[in-house]
Amino acid sequence: MKKVAILLLGTAVLTGCGSDDSGDSRASSSYIGAIEAVDANADTMTINSMPLSLASTRIELNGHNVTSNELAAGMQVDVEYDNDIAYEVDIDPEIVGMVTGVTSTTITVNGQTLDTTKDFTSNNFENKRVMLFGYAEQNGNWKINAAYEVGSIPVEDLYEGKITSIDKANNFFNIGTMKVDYSNARMDHEDLAELNNGVWVEIEGNFNIGFMANDVDVENELDLANAEVEGYVTTLNYEKTSMTLNGKTVVAITENTRFEDGLKEQLKVGSKVDVDLINNAGKLQASEIEFD
């Protein structure tokens, strides 16, 4: 699942959303964040306090077309919309895999025990494949906010995180304690050149004792430019001129950054925000930060 997103912050921009055979095109805004609600009767979903019609929406998960019945509150989505109509929705789980353990505060998937913000013990997830949605703290630990069964959709095992060590001679790297074999992974030349300690990657493949990757994508933060993204501040420097979102994306804050529903002085680690992101000389910059 190649993503241009993470669970972060945002801003709406106009982008070309494609054209049909007649040459018509439409402008749309891009938002990356969690679904707040789904109304099956009205055929709508709500993101960022905006109800959007799903009547003619193309919805995808892992490249497969799915119906709006697959959408649920808490899922991370990448949405193209305009005039209260969603044109495209990509469901973007951070982690997919078999559940081997659940407690009131953790869930174990792909051999990794992850912290949860809610109790999933009553969901009967053990020995089932699930999609997990959440964000990473600065130390790399995950906070899982939502979990749903994969069902019959053909989705490979999936994991995201920062490379903590790498052995290029033997085509292995680690994301924390998870060992990843990328010897047979699909990678373009750019991703292969950028594969180093400290970069954030998304891997797809099969987990057994270790993770056998079929696909490795190195995240390019500038893919988030000109999008509105929702998420959590995980680091913030003393001067409040730089913050990290969801443990992975560094964003500059300047004298031109606007603040809504709060003041710059109120920004702190743990703040949930919507951030409008722009590309300023090859670096992500917040044009607007809205407190959630």
Side-chain angles (χ1 to χ4, degrees):
M1 268 169 277
K2 181 72 172 178
K3 294 197 266 187
V4 298
I6 45 187
L7 184 71
L8 307 185
L9 324 208
T11 181
V13 296
L14 292 180
T15 60
C17 189
S19 58
D20 59 23
D21 292 338
S22 65
D24 293 336
S25 63
R26 60 195 175 206
S28 66
S29 297
S30 176
Y31 183 84
I32 299 161
I35 297 174
E36 296 168 1
V38 177
D39 187 333
N41 292 326
D43 203 13
T44 63
M45 72 173 184
T46 300
I47 56 167
N48 198 24
S49 301
M50 297 181 297
L52 298 176
S53 171
L54 299 170
S56 57
T57 306
R58 186 177 72 190
I59 305 170
E60 290 190 358
L61 171 62
N62 197 32
H64 298 274
N65 292 327
V66 298
T67 70
S68 59
N69 293 331
E70 301 293 339
L71 299 176
M75 286 184 172
Q76 175 78 7
V77 289
D78 182 351
V79 185
E80 298 290 332
Y81 70 94
D82 188 41
N83 294 326
D84 300 324
I85 298 171
Y87 296 124
E88 298 181 19
V89 175
D90 289 327
I91 304 172
D92 286 332
E94 278 71 42
I95 297 165
V96 177
M98 182 72 71
V99 177
T100 54
V102 182
T103 73
S104 60
T105 58
T106 65
I107 187 167
T108 301
V109 176
N110 294 338
Q112 305 298 300
T113 299
L114 313 167
D115 293 334
T116 60
T117 60
K118 58 184 67 175
D119 185 349
F120 292 115
T121 54
S122 63
N123 293 73
N124 298 317
F125 281 149
E126 288 208 41
N127 300 314
K128 295 178 181 177
R129 300 189 73 245
V130 299
M131 302 179 286
L132 303 182
F133 302 85
Y135 69 97
E137 298 179 303
Q138 195 59 28
N139 60 8
N141 293 338
W142 281 96
K143 288 286 188 181
I144 302 302
N145 299 324
Y148 293 95
E149 286 188 44
V150 173
S152 60
I153 303 169
V155 181
E156 291 186 295
D157 292 338
L158 171 73
Y159 202 79
E160 289 191 29
K162 189 176 292 185
I163 293 179
T164 52
S165 66
I166 187 166
D167 180 353
K168 292 187 177 183
N170 294 298
N171 297 314
F172 285 101
F173 61 78
N174 276 67
I175 302 174
T177 60
M178 177 184 286
K179 187 174 183 179
V180 180
D181 180 342
Y182 66 95
S183 57
N184 295 312
R186 298 181 297 271
M187 297 185 68
D188 60 34
H189 293 299
E190 183 177 355
D191 279 349
L192 191 58
E194 294 175 348
L195 198 66
N196 291 297
N197 280 337
V199 301
W200 190 275
V201 292
E202 179 188 89
I203 56 174
E204 291 182 79
N206 299 288
F207 177 80
N208 191 353
I209 297 173
F211 201 107
M212 179 64 71
N214 297 325
D215 187 87
V216 177
D217 290 320
V218 177
E219 181 167 296
N220 182 354
E221 293 182 344
L222 292 179
D223 285 342
L224 296 174
N226 300 328
E228 181 177 4
V229 191
E230 173 195 66
Y232 294 86
V233 178
T234 51
T235 68
L236 180 67
N237 69 351
Y238 179 79
E239 298 83 5
K240 299 189 177 181
T241 57
S242 178
M243 64 181 175
T244 303
L245 306 175
N246 295 341
K248 55 182 176 178
T249 304
V250 178
V251 178
I253 304 168
T254 73
E255 64 275 8
N256 297 319
T257 301
R258 303 182 302 275
F259 287 83
E260 284 197 6
D261 298 329
L263 303 173
K264 181 178 181 179
E265 291 72 22
Q266 296 173 278
L267 192 66
K268 61 184 180 180
V269 172
S271 294
K272 186 180 181 184
V273 289
D274 289 321
V275 179
D276 294 340
L277 297 171
I278 59 173
N279 180 347
N280 184 5
K283 302 291 184 181
L284 280 182
Q285 177 179 312
S287 62
E288 182 175 284
I289 297 175
E290 179 181 354
F291 291 86
D292 205 332

